[in-house]
Amino acid sequence: QVQLVESGGGLVQAGDSLRLSCAASGSTFSRYGMGWFRRAPGKEREFVGRISWSGGLTYIADSVKGRFAISRDNAKKTVYLQMNSLKPEDTAVYYCAREASDGRGYDSWGQGTRVTVSS
């Protein structure tokens, strides 16, 4: 089972940028698509975006489109979430996850990294 470790969260002000990282263990990282999710206080988990195994295809949720971007470095076994123009409503715990090999959902999750955006 792969291990995913997120980092890069913190307390920032509205308008700032952050880049989250998700480092994976194991040797098969490059075979899988990866996703980012978030859970805001008192809310359900929300899909943020995903990236294909090669990095050639990305999808960003409408709620963050134009401000967030996903990339990956397969040599470093790391996927990134670049967050720009942060808003207080972006405050959440952010999780990365690995897509299941059958394409049905996500089968491995990180522990999350907290992002707090002050107004």
Side-chain angles (χ1 to χ4, degrees):
Q1 190 80 346
V2 68
Q3 285 190 319
L4 302 173
V5 180
E6 300 94 336
S7 62
L11 172 63
V12 298
Q13 293 186 333
D16 285 351
S17 297
L18 271 180
R19 189 178 78 159
L20 305 184
S21 299
C22 171
S25 65
S27 60
T28 60
F29 174 77
S30 63
R31 301 179 189 175
Y32 294 89
M34 298 291 294
W36 282 97
F37 294 78
R38 66 185 182 184
R39 188 188 296 274
K43 296 187 177 181
E44 295 187 352
R45 187 176 64 200
E46 176 188 14
F47 171 75
V48 174
R50 58 91 59 184
I51 187 167
S52 63
W53 65 271
S54 67
L57 291 174
T58 61
Y59 177 82
I60 301 294
D62 287 343
S63 59
V64 299
K65 190 172 293 182
R67 298 189 297 121
F68 288 14
I70 298 177
S71 61
R72 68 189 294 164
D73 185 334
N74 285 341
K76 294 183 178 180
K77 293 189 286 187
T78 301
V79 62
Y80 303 99
L81 179 66
Q82 178 67 44
M83 307 186 294
N84 300 324
S85 302
L86 283 162
K87 303 175 181 180
E89 51 263 44
D90 296 319
T91 294
V93 177
Y94 285 74
Y95 302 88
C96 67
R98 188 185 75 173
E99 290 183 348
S101 56
D102 62 4
R104 296 182 178 182
Y106 294 81
D107 62 3
S108 298
W109 295 81
Q111 83 291 346
T113 186
R114 185 175 301 276
V115 173
T116 303
V117 185
S118 64
S119 57

PDB file of all heavy atoms in Angstrom, residues 69-87:
ATOM      1  N   ALA A  69      -3.855  25.040  -9.361  1.00  0.00           N
ATOM      2  CA  ALA A  69      -3.305  24.206 -10.425  1.00  0.00           C
ATOM      3  C   ALA A  69      -2.628  22.996  -9.816  1.00  0.00           C
ATOM      4  O   ALA A  69      -2.060  23.077  -8.713  1.00  0.00           O
ATOM      5  CB  ALA A  69      -2.309  24.993 -11.271  1.00  0.00           C
ATOM      6  N   ILE A  70      -2.696  21.893 -10.529  1.00  0.00           N
ATOM      7  CA  ILE A  70      -2.080  20.647 -10.081  1.00  0.00           C
ATOM      8  C   ILE A  70      -0.959  20.280 -11.036  1.00  0.00           C
ATOM      9  O   ILE A  70      -1.097  20.410 -12.256  1.00  0.00           O
ATOM     10  CB  ILE A  70      -3.108  19.509 -10.025  1.00  0.00           C
ATOM     11  CG1 ILE A  70      -4.215  19.834  -9.015  1.00  0.00           C
ATOM     12  CG2 ILE A  70      -2.441  18.197  -9.639  1.00  0.00           C
ATOM     13  CD1 ILE A  70      -5.310  18.773  -8.979  1.00  0.00           C
ATOM     14  N   SER A  71       0.128  19.798 -10.463  1.00  0.00           N
ATOM     15  CA  SER A  71       1.236  19.301 -11.271  1.00  0.00           C
ATOM     16  C   SER A  71       1.857  18.117 -10.544  1.00  0.00           C
ATOM     17  O   SER A  71       1.518  17.827  -9.395  1.00  0.00           O
ATOM     18  CB  SER A  71       2.273  20.399 -11.510  1.00  0.00           C
ATOM     19  OG  SER A  71       2.826  20.845 -10.277  1.00  0.00           O
ATOM     20  N   ARG A  72       2.758  17.452 -11.210  1.00  0.00           N
ATOM     21  CA  ARG A  72       3.434  16.316 -10.575  1.00  0.00           C
ATOM     22  C   ARG A  72       4.835  16.175 -11.137  1.00  0.00           C
ATOM     23  O   ARG A  72       5.114  16.585 -12.261  1.00  0.00           O
ATOM     24  CB  ARG A  72       2.636  15.031 -10.764  1.00  0.00           C
ATOM     25  CG  ARG A  72       2.570  14.512 -12.176  1.00  0.00           C
ATOM     26  CD  ARG A  72       1.564  13.355 -12.281  1.00  0.00           C
ATOM     27  NE  ARG A  72       1.995  12.188 -11.523  1.00  0.00           N
ATOM     28  CZ  ARG A  72       1.178  11.185 -11.194  1.00  0.00           C
ATOM     29  NH1 ARG A  72      -0.108  11.225 -11.540  1.00  0.00           N
ATOM     30  NH2 ARG A  72       1.638  10.138 -10.531  1.00  0.00           N
ATOM     31  N   ASP A  73       5.673  15.571 -10.326  1.00  0.00           N
ATOM     32  CA  ASP A  73       7.033  15.224 -10.717  1.00  0.00           C
ATOM     33  C   ASP A  73       7.206  13.749 -10.413  1.00  0.00           C
ATOM     34  O   ASP A  73       7.413  13.370  -9.255  1.00  0.00           O
ATOM     35  CB  ASP A  73       8.032  16.082  -9.938  1.00  0.00           C
ATOM     36  CG  ASP A  73       9.471  15.874 -10.380  1.00  0.00           C
ATOM     37  OD1 ASP A  73       9.794  14.792 -10.904  1.00  0.00           O
ATOM     38  OD2 ASP A  73      10.274  16.795 -10.186  1.00  0.00           O
ATOM     39  N   ASN A  74       7.115  12.939 -11.428  1.00  0.00           N
ATOM     40  CA  ASN A  74       7.171  11.490 -11.193  1.00  0.00           C
ATOM     41  C   ASN A  74       8.551  11.040 -10.719  1.00  0.00           C
ATOM     42  O   ASN A  74       8.664  10.047 -10.001  1.00  0.00           O
ATOM     43  CB  ASN A  74       6.752  10.735 -12.446  1.00  0.00           C
ATOM     44  CG  ASN A  74       5.249  10.780 -12.669  1.00  0.00           C
ATOM     45  OD1 ASN A  74       4.481  11.051 -11.742  1.00  0.00           O
ATOM     46  ND2 ASN A  74       4.815  10.521 -13.883  1.00  0.00           N
ATOM     47  N   ALA A  75       9.575  11.740 -11.103  1.00  0.00           N
ATOM     48  CA  ALA A  75      10.915  11.380 -10.639  1.00  0.00           C
ATOM     49  C   ALA A  75      11.037  11.583  -9.132  1.00  0.00           C
ATOM     50  O   ALA A  75      11.746  10.838  -8.445  1.00  0.00           O
ATOM     51  CB  ALA A  75      11.963  12.203 -11.367  1.00  0.00           C
ATOM     52  N   LYS A  76      10.318  12.576  -8.616  1.00  0.00           N
ATOM     53  CA  LYS A  76      10.341  12.840  -7.172  1.00  0.00           C
ATOM     54  C   LYS A  76       9.167  12.186  -6.465  1.00  0.00           C
ATOM     55  O   LYS A  76       9.027  12.327  -5.239  1.00  0.00           O
ATOM     56  CB  LYS A  76      10.308  14.352  -6.924  1.00  0.00           C
ATOM     57  CG  LYS A  76      11.555  15.087  -7.418  1.00  0.00           C
ATOM     58  CD  LYS A  76      11.483  16.572  -7.081  1.00  0.00           C
ATOM     59  CE  LYS A  76      12.741  17.291  -7.538  1.00  0.00           C
ATOM     60  NZ  LYS A  76      12.708  18.742  -7.227  1.00  0.00           N
ATOM     61  N   LYS A  77       8.307  11.530  -7.215  1.00  0.00           N
ATOM     62  CA  LYS A  77       7.129  10.867  -6.646  1.00  0.00           C
ATOM     63  C   LYS A  77       6.315  11.850  -5.812  1.00  0.00           C
ATOM     64  O   LYS A  77       5.904  11.562  -4.672  1.00  0.00           O
ATOM     65  CB  LYS A  77       7.529   9.639  -5.823  1.00  0.00           C
ATOM     66  CG  LYS A  77       8.126   8.532  -6.682  1.00  0.00           C
ATOM     67  CD  LYS A  77       8.328   7.246  -5.905  1.00  0.00           C
ATOM     68  CE  LYS A  77       9.490   7.342  -4.963  1.00  0.00           C
ATOM     69  NZ  LYS A  77       9.795   6.040  -4.317  1.00  0.00           N
ATOM     70  N   THR A  78       6.084  12.996  -6.390  1.00  0.00           N
ATOM     71  CA  THR A  78       5.395  14.066  -5.676  1.00  0.00           C
ATOM     72  C   THR A  78       4.378  14.733  -6.586  1.00  0.00           C
ATOM     73  O   THR A  78       4.646  14.958  -7.777  1.00  0.00           O
ATOM     74  CB  THR A  78       6.408  15.112  -5.167  1.00  0.00           C
ATOM     75  OG1 THR A  78       7.348  14.470  -4.303  1.00  0.00           O
ATOM     76  CG2 THR A  78       5.705  16.220  -4.395  1.00  0.00           C
ATOM     77  N   VAL A  79       3.238  15.035  -6.017  1.00  0.00           N
ATOM     78  CA  VAL A  79       2.214  15.808  -6.709  1.00  0.00           C
ATOM     79  C   VAL A  79       2.019  17.105  -5.940  1.00  0.00           C
ATOM     80  O   VAL A  79       2.157  17.134  -4.710  1.00  0.00           O
ATOM     81  CB  VAL A  79       0.905  15.007  -6.840  1.00  0.00           C
ATOM     82  CG1 VAL A  79       0.315  14.660  -5.488  1.00  0.00           C
ATOM     83  CG2 VAL A  79      -0.105  15.748  -7.694  1.00  0.00           C
ATOM     84  N   TYR A  80       1.724  18.158  -6.677  1.00  0.00           N
ATOM     85  CA  TYR A  80       1.645  19.493  -6.087  1.00  0.00           C
ATOM     86  C   TYR A  80       0.268  20.107  -6.316  1.00  0.00           C
ATOM     87  O   TYR A  80      -0.398  19.823  -7.309  1.00  0.00           O
ATOM     88  CB  TYR A  80       2.698  20.409  -6.707  1.00  0.00           C
ATOM     89  CG  TYR A  80       4.109  19.891  -6.584  1.00  0.00           C
ATOM     90  CD1 TYR A  80       4.718  19.225  -7.648  1.00  0.00           C
ATOM     91  CD2 TYR A  80       4.840  20.064  -5.413  1.00  0.00           C
ATOM     92  CE1 TYR A  80       6.010  18.749  -7.551  1.00  0.00           C
ATOM     93  CE2 TYR A  80       6.138  19.589  -5.303  1.00  0.00           C
ATOM     94  CZ  TYR A  80       6.719  18.930  -6.379  1.00  0.00           C
ATOM     95  OH  TYR A  80       8.000  18.460  -6.261  1.00  0.00           O
ATOM     96  N   LEU A  81      -0.097  20.968  -5.400  1.00  0.00           N
ATOM     97  CA  LEU A  81      -1.288  21.793  -5.574  1.00  0.00           C
ATOM     98  C   LEU A  81      -0.858  23.237  -5.354  1.00  0.00           C
ATOM     99  O   LEU A  81      -0.543  23.632  -4.231  1.00  0.00           O
ATOM    100  CB  LEU A  81      -2.386  21.407  -4.584  1.00  0.00           C
ATOM    101  CG  LEU A  81      -3.670  22.236  -4.684  1.00  0.00           C
ATOM    102  CD1 LEU A  81      -4.365  21.994  -6.020  1.00  0.00           C
ATOM    103  CD2 LEU A  81      -4.625  21.896  -3.532  1.00  0.00           C
ATOM    104  N   GLN A  82      -0.799  23.992  -6.436  1.00  0.00           N
ATOM    105  CA  GLN A  82      -0.469  25.405  -6.353  1.00  0.00           C
ATOM    106  C   GLN A  82      -1.755  26.186  -6.142  1.00  0.00           C
ATOM    107  O   GLN A  82      -2.684  26.085  -6.956  1.00  0.00           O
ATOM    108  CB  GLN A  82       0.230  25.864  -7.634  1.00  0.00           C
ATOM    109  CG  GLN A  82       0.572  27.337  -7.662  1.00  0.00           C
ATOM    110  CD  GLN A  82       1.633  27.711  -6.641  1.00  0.00           C
ATOM    111  OE1 GLN A  82       2.637  27.006  -6.480  1.00  0.00           O
ATOM    112  NE2 GLN A  82       1.430  28.826  -5.936  1.00  0.00           N
ATOM    113  N   MET A  83      -1.790  26.953  -5.086  1.00  0.00           N
ATOM    114  CA  MET A  83      -2.990  27.712  -4.732  1.00  0.00           C
ATOM    115  C   MET A  83      -2.651  29.193  -4.718  1.00  0.00           C
ATOM    116  O   MET A  83      -1.806  29.626  -3.938  1.00  0.00           O
ATOM    117  CB  MET A  83      -3.517  27.270  -3.369  1.00  0.00           C
ATOM    118  CG  MET A  83      -3.741  25.773  -3.268  1.00  0.00           C
ATOM    119  SD  MET A  83      -4.534  25.281  -1.721  1.00  0.00           S
ATOM    120  CE  MET A  83      -3.250  25.724  -0.553  1.00  0.00           C
ATOM    121  N   ASN A  84      -3.291  29.934  -5.572  1.00  0.00           N
ATOM    122  CA  ASN A  84      -3.069  31.375  -5.681  1.00  0.00           C
ATOM    123  C   ASN A  84      -4.330  32.141  -5.306  1.00  0.00           C
ATOM    124  O   ASN A  84      -5.428  31.590  -5.298  1.00  0.00           O
ATOM    125  CB  ASN A  84      -2.654  31.737  -7.106  1.00  0.00           C
ATOM    126  CG  ASN A  84      -1.387  31.059  -7.535  1.00  0.00           C
ATOM    127  OD1 ASN A  84      -0.463  30.859  -6.750  1.00  0.00           O
ATOM    128  ND2 ASN A  84      -1.324  30.682  -8.807  1.00  0.00           N
ATOM    129  N   SER A  85      -4.149  33.404  -4.998  1.00  0.00           N
ATOM    130  CA  SER A  85      -5.282  34.271  -4.657  1.00  0.00           C
ATOM    131  C   SER A  85      -6.201  33.611  -3.641  1.00  0.00           C
ATOM    132  O   SER A  85      -7.426  33.543  -3.820  1.00  0.00           O
ATOM    133  CB  SER A  85      -6.067  34.629  -5.926  1.00  0.00           C
ATOM    134  OG  SER A  85      -5.238  35.261  -6.879  1.00  0.00           O
ATOM    135  N   LEU A  86      -5.612  33.121  -2.590  1.00  0.00           N
ATOM    136  CA  LEU A  86      -6.373  32.385  -1.591  1.00  0.00           C
ATOM    137  C   LEU A  86      -7.433  33.254  -0.930  1.00  0.00           C
ATOM    138  O   LEU A  86      -7.238  34.461  -0.718  1.00  0.00           O
ATOM    139  CB  LEU A  86      -5.436  31.803  -0.550  1.00  0.00           C
ATOM    140  CG  LEU A  86      -4.688  30.550  -1.022  1.00  0.00           C
ATOM    141  CD1 LEU A  86      -3.475  30.285  -0.142  1.00  0.00           C
ATOM    142  CD2 LEU A  86      -5.612  29.355  -1.046  1.00  0.00           C
ATOM    143  N   LYS A  87      -8.546  32.606  -0.605  1.00  0.00           N
ATOM    144  CA  LYS A  87      -9.674  33.273   0.027  1.00  0.00           C
ATOM    145  C   LYS A  87      -9.964  32.594   1.359  1.00  0.00           C
ATOM    146  O   LYS A  87      -9.627  31.417   1.544  1.00  0.00           O
ATOM    147  CB  LYS A  87     -10.907  33.161  -0.871  1.00  0.00           C
ATOM    148  CG  LYS A  87     -10.716  33.712  -2.274  1.00  0.00           C
ATOM    149  CD  LYS A  87     -11.958  33.449  -3.117  1.00  0.00           C
ATOM    150  CE  LYS A  87     -11.790  33.981  -4.536  1.00  0.00           C
ATOM    151  NZ  LYS A  87     -13.009  33.730  -5.359  1.00  0.00           N
TER     152      LYS A  87
END
